[in-house]
Amino acid sequence: MIRAKISTLIRPLIRAVAIALVVAAAAPAAAEEAAPEPVPTLKRTVTVSDDLVRIGDMIDNAGDLAATPIFRSPDAGTTGRVTLQQVIDAIRPYHLHQLDTQGIATVEVTRTGRTIDTTEIEANIARTFAGRYGFGEAKNLRVTLDGMVQPITVDSTSSTDLSLIGASLDPRSGRFDISFEVPGSRVMRRLPLRLTGTIVETVATAVLAQGLARGDVVKAADVTIERRPKAEVTGELISTVDDAVGLAVRQQMRAGQVLARGQLMKPELVHRDDSVTLVYEVPGILLTTRGKALEAGAMGDTITVANIETKRTVQGTVSGPSRVTIMSTAARAGAAMPQSVASR
């Protein structure tokens, strides 16, 4: 009897617990079903990289419609504007309801781009003519374009460069006419880029930074290395400052003048009409006297000198500043003999 009463009391309790467990298990699912859908929201600014603007570019939470194109994007590197009404009209066929406009009246759309500047255009022209018409490497070619050439902006996704269509050149004047195909969008091709100008080959050469008089010795501050048209450089060119320093110019030269190797000489240590020291060398004897240079000369040059004391004219070798050495025939012969013979 007691057992029957306990069973009668427990059954309702078990049933209540089971119902509670079922309700608790169903609660999260119900909560998930009740979660609101994300609201499509209009953006104030949009950035695209190609030629189409899609719903997902302009509206957050567009769902499966995100990849649907609705506008053509502005030119590469520029910004355009779209009104709210234009956006609404464009998405109406796709039944995108409950759009949150956030009070936006106009959407700014910017299309990214890659810039091809004047330097890159000139480099393309130099590469086109390098190795042709007698020109050397592209790095040595200087291109001058006619007029102002504006930089070109192309798709940032474009991996192609300017493509040559045609080119002509007058080798005598260096005038060229060249046309390139510019990378364009998939929707609309760009017009060819046609350019004219001149091209010359240049070389690195020594140029005087200041004027020098005849016989002046070149110092490091007197010379700079510049690229000059190859046609302007005659004779053997000097390509480093060190090649010119310490030498003297053969004639008067002005600032900005190209310095060639033939215009330089060893500096004159004796000038015409200078008073010099005459040194006479004979075996075992060294004599000095005064003389007058009748010619100019650098170290090692043979010049004519007048002996002031004897009034005789002799030839000697420039051996230092204002110094001329005269060796007798015997001394020169002795220099070629063995020491024992020369002593006798």
Side-chain angles (χ1 to χ4, degrees):
M1 184 71 173
I2 295 173
R3 186 180 300 168
K5 288 182 178 181
I6 292 174
S7 177
T8 304
L9 293 172
I10 289 176
R11 285 195 193 96
L13 181 60
I14 294 173
R15 188 178 299 110
V17 171
I19 293 172
L21 291 174
V22 171
V23 171
E32 290 179 3
E33 292 177 2
E37 290 287 337
V39 178
T41 305
L42 186 65
K43 299 179 184 179
R44 189 176 301 275
T45 59
V46 175
T47 301
V48 296
S49 60
D50 60 13
D51 45 22
L52 295 175
V53 180
R54 296 165 177 80
I55 292 179
D57 295 326
M58 306 199 74
I59 299 173
D60 284 327
N61 307 318
D64 295 338
L65 296 174
T68 305
I70 51 175
F71 295 118
R72 179 174 295 172
S73 61
D75 292 338
T78 64
T79 298
R81 289 170 176 79
V82 181
T83 65
L84 173 61
Q85 188 59 51
Q86 288 175 313
V87 175
I88 293 173
D89 292 342
I91 65 174
R92 182 176 290 116
Y94 304 102
H95 309 292
L96 188 64
H97 304 298
Q98 298 180 343
L99 174 64
D100 182 1
T101 64
Q102 302 190 93
I104 298 171
T106 304
V107 179
E108 287 191 354
V109 181
T110 300
R111 181 176 174 185
T112 59
R114 176 173 65 88
T115 300
I116 302 176
D117 60 16
T118 306
T119 301
E120 188 174 348
I121 293 172
E122 292 174 349
N124 272 275
I125 295 173
R127 287 194 295 271
T128 299
F129 291 110
R132 303 170 60 190
Y133 302 100
F135 289 135
E137 298 180 71
K139 65 180 182 180
N140 296 329
L141 302 183
R142 184 173 67 197
V143 175
T144 304
L145 296 171
D146 292 338
M148 294 293 294
V149 177
Q150 297 297 325
I152 304 168
T153 303
V154 299
D155 290 344
S156 56
T157 56
S158 174
S159 59
T160 58
D161 202 347
L162 297 176
S163 300
L164 179 66
I165 297 176
S168 62
L169 180 131
D170 182 351
R172 291 174 298 177
S173 64
R175 294 285 307 170
F176 67 81
D177 188 329
I178 193 168
S179 296
F180 291 106
E181 182 181 355
V182 180
S185 68
R186 295 187 299 271
V187 175
M188 182 174 59
R189 303 294 295 178
R190 290 177 177 267
L191 294 175
L193 175 66
R194 182 181 177 184
L195 301 165
T196 58
T198 57
I199 184 168
V200 295
E201 185 168 6
T202 64
V203 292
T205 186
V207 177
L208 284 179
Q210 56 189 357
L212 296 176
R214 181 188 182 280
D216 283 351
V217 177
V218 179
K219 302 182 293 295
D222 297 329
V223 183
T224 61
I225 302 299
E226 297 180 4
R227 297 204 70 88
R228 290 292 181 91
K230 188 176 180 180
E232 294 181 8
V233 181
T234 58
E236 186 180 357
L237 63 86
I238 298 174
S239 57
T240 67
V241 173
D242 291 342
D243 287 343
V245 171
L247 298 176
V249 293
R250 293 184 181 275
Q251 69 238 6
Q252 182 175 352
M253 301 187 71
R254 66 183 184 278
Q257 190 170 349
V258 173
L259 195 58
R261 197 170 297 276
Q263 296 166 319
L264 298 176
M265 62 182 180
K266 292 185 293 184
E268 292 180 346
L269 300 181
V270 175
H271 300 90
R272 182 181 175 86
D273 296 330
D274 277 358
S275 294
V276 298
T277 299
L278 282 177
V279 180
Y280 288 88
E281 289 189 19
V282 295
I285 300 175
L286 182 67
L287 301 175
T288 62
T289 186
R290 292 181 303 143
K292 180 181 179 181
L294 302 181
E295 295 176 310
M299 178 67 77
D301 288 349
T302 299
I303 62 172
T304 303
V305 183
N307 186 322
I308 295 177
E309 294 182 3
T310 64
K311 308 302 181 183
R312 293 180 58 189
T313 300
V314 296
Q315 284 193 325
T317 302
V318 176
S319 55
S322 300
R323 182 184 176 93
V324 178
T325 299
I326 300 172
M327 295 179 65
S328 67
T329 305
R332 288 193 293 271
M337 296 179 183
Q339 185 62 38
S340 58
V341 177
S343 299
R344 291 197 298 271

